[in-house]
Amino acid sequence: MKFSQLHLPQFIRFGIVGAALNLIGYLLYLVVTWLGVEPKLAITFFYPLGVLYGYFVHKRLSFRHASGERDIWLIVRYLFVYALGYLLNIGALYAFHDHFGFPHQLVQVVIITSLSFFFFFSLKFFVFTQNHVAVTDSH
């Protein structure tokens, strides 16, 4: 599959939205870990907040997705993808910070960047699939 078939504008919107959400989340993470909160506990607290807000923002802005009566399955698939992302995040922190001793700040930046590609493709092809009606721009 050629990259041009992946709807480059959608990828760019996802990147902008994701960068903004992750920057805010990462800054909050840095503050609370600087205050002494253990890194995995900080992720456990902030991750669900980002997932919740991200659902509405990615649905509306990144993927311009409109759903009807099957919204519950959309939410289930979305939560599944982000639960997997959470497990990968915590696992990477455990392995690279707790076990190998890398700075958690660096580990988290690498995790955020790596998972962004996983999230884009998962949301595009598993959650906000093409068989739904797209929200049109009415502005």
Side-chain angles (χ1 to χ4, degrees):
M1 175 179 286
K2 295 180 183 175
F3 187 76
S4 61
Q5 293 173 317
L6 296 178
H7 305 277
L8 187 58
Q10 195 174 59
F11 183 76
I12 292 169
R13 286 191 308 268
F14 177 83
I16 292 169
V17 168
L21 288 172
N22 282 306
L23 178 61
I24 293 166
Y26 183 68
L27 292 174
L28 289 171
Y29 169 82
L30 289 178
V31 169
V32 299
T33 55
W34 179 78
L35 292 172
V37 175
E38 199 275 330
K40 290 183 293 305
L41 182 60
I43 292 299
T44 300
F45 177 75
F46 286 116
Y47 195 89
L49 298 175
V51 169
L52 178 64
Y53 186 70
Y55 171 76
F56 296 104
V57 176
H58 283 306
K59 180 181 175 188
R60 177 75 176 135
L61 297 178
S62 300
F63 295 96
R64 296 182 177 167
H65 187 275
S67 57
E69 69 282 352
R70 294 193 177 140
D71 215 24
I72 188 67
W73 293 113
L74 185 78
I75 293 168
V76 167
R77 288 191 310 269
Y78 181 87
L79 291 175
F80 174 78
V81 165
Y82 276 89
L84 184 55
Y86 171 79
L87 293 174
L88 291 168
N89 194 326
I90 292 297
L93 273 172
Y94 173 76
F96 293 104
H97 173 65
D98 295 352
H99 186 67
F100 293 117
F102 288 97
H104 67 89
Q105 301 90 336
L106 175 63
V107 173
Q108 196 57 37
V109 165
V110 172
I111 293 168
I112 290 169
T113 305
S114 301
L115 284 178
S116 65
F117 294 99
F118 164 75
F119 287 133
F120 174 74
F121 290 110
S122 296
L123 294 180
K124 177 160 183 57
F125 296 111
F126 181 63
V127 178
F128 303 116
T129 58
Q130 297 294 351
N131 59 349
H132 294 284
V133 178
V135 175
T136 59
D137 284 338
S138 59
H139 316 315

